[in-house]
Amino acid sequence: MRRMIFLCLLLAFSTAVTAGDDYEAEIDHLLQFVATSGCTFHRNGTDHSAADAADHLRLKYRRAGKYVGSAEQFIDRLASESSWTGKPYTVTCAGVTQPSGEWLYAALTTLRDPAVSH
């Protein structure tokens, strides 16, 4: 009986750890997506390269990651607007400018379901 309880607890713990790792893997994917996008990021009135934008978001995540428990929270709390000015971030890809949050949500949707194309 004890062995069964132990195995159930072990399974529950490993499932919780795996679930926790999933959102971190998704955030890592989003950061890589940003870095390799070739798009221009607009933050507080200044244009930034894709690599610089990814570095900035990594820094924000390192500093405030404890407030993030999902890829959605990463997008909403760290990757959509300046934490200093409150101004929204935008991204320009192939001549089209859009809010960075919308762009990242589309990338997250595609990651989770590759059959969905944006």
Side-chain angles (χ1 to χ4, degrees):
M1 182 66 168
R2 284 185 179 183
R3 185 174 181 189
M4 181 61 96
I5 292 171
F6 174 76
L7 289 174
C8 288
L9 289 172
L10 183 61
L11 179 60
F13 176 74
S14 66
T15 301
V17 169
T18 301
D21 290 344
D22 287 349
Y23 83 86
E24 290 178 358
E26 288 178 336
I27 292 170
D28 286 341
H29 175 83
L30 291 173
L31 290 167
Q32 187 63 25
F33 175 76
V34 169
T36 60
S37 69
C39 299
T40 301
F41 289 78
H42 316 284
R43 179 170 47 91
N44 294 323
T46 306
D47 291 347
H48 300 272
S49 71
D52 287 345
D55 287 344
H56 177 72
L57 294 176
R58 278 188 195 96
L59 176 67
K60 286 181 78 172
Y61 185 51
R62 273 196 309 271
R63 290 183 175 170
K66 64 184 174 187
Y67 303 108
V68 172
S70 68
E72 290 85 357
Q73 288 178 354
F74 169 76
I75 294 169
D76 294 339
R77 296 178 181 176
L78 303 178
S80 294
E81 67 181 30
S82 170
S83 55
W84 288 98
T85 66
K87 292 181 180 179
Y89 296 157
T90 59
V91 58
T92 301
C93 302
V96 177
T97 300
Q98 62 183 312
S100 64
E102 290 178 15
W103 183 70
L104 289 169
Y105 267 106
L108 182 60
T109 299
T110 301
L111 171 65
R112 290 177 175 170
D113 185 0
V116 175
S117 176
H118 292 277

